[in-house]
């Protein structure tokens, strides 16, 4: 399996690590995803989509907080990935972050997985 780390970016409250793993782009945000940090996640997602990756796996296990701006970044990536024939898979959401998705109904438009391993093993879009 191709498992090289492509890079990372950090801004105080959010660290985003990215890598390619087989047909998937794996993006791992850790910390707080909000208005001030959303671009740190938006940019690598858009970069992967521009490179032709249409299957994005977001490892949410280290994400402690997500506001509406962060949710909109993920929704935007989902629309672009879907248009390219792929999808966005969210893995390992913590209860506080999962609650935001539940309250807004956004959980219905993403493929959710209990763990990163489960998301990578899922061979759907």
């Amino acid at each position: 399996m191709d498992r090289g780390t492509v890079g990372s970016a950090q801004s105080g409250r959010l660290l985003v690590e990215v890598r390619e793993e087989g047909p998937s782009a794996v993006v791992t945000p850790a910390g707080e995803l909000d208005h001030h940090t959303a671009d740190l996640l938006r940019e690598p997602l858009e970069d992967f989509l521009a490179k032709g990756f249409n299957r994005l796996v977001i490892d949410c296990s280290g994400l402690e907080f997500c506001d509406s701006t962060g949710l909109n970044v993920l929704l935007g990536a989902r629309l672009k990935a879907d248009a390219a024939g792929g999808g966005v898979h969210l893995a390992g959401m913590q209860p506080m972050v999962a609650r935001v998705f539940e309250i807004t109904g956004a959980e219905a438009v993403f493929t959710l997985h209990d763990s990163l391993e489960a998301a990578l093993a899922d061979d759907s879009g």
Side-chain angles (χ1 to χ4, degrees):
M1 262 190 206
D2 178 16
R3 216 182 153 135
T5 297
V6 175
S8 66
Q10 184 170 10
S11 173
R13 298 187 322 258
L14 185 70
L15 169 67
V16 178
E17 295 182 348
V18 297
R19 70 176 192 271
E20 299 170 9
E21 188 155 336
S24 300
V26 179
V27 180
T28 306
E32 298 177 10
L33 178 58
D34 59 24
H35 172 74
H36 301 289
T37 61
D39 283 340
L40 278 177
L41 182 59
R42 180 182 293 111
E43 290 170 7
L45 292 174
E46 289 181 357
D47 288 347
F48 275 127
L49 289 164
K51 290 179 184 176
F53 283 89
N54 65 2
R55 186 176 197 283
L56 305 175
V57 175
I58 315 297
D59 178 1
C60 300
S61 61
L63 198 57
E64 300 165 1
F65 176 81
C66 180
D67 73 0
S68 61
T69 306
L71 181 59
N72 282 329
V73 167
L74 294 170
L75 288 167
R78 185 196 69 84
L79 288 174
K80 291 176 182 175
D82 284 355
V88 174
H89 296 252
L90 303 178
M93 275 199 283
Q94 299 298 317
M96 180 184 283
V97 174
R99 183 76 175 128
V100 171
F101 284 76
E102 180 184 331
I103 289 170
T104 61
E107 67 182 1
V109 300
F110 290 99
T111 304
L112 305 178
H113 302 275
D114 290 336
S115 68
L116 176 60
E117 294 75 22
L120 292 171
D122 180 355
D123 61 0
S124 66

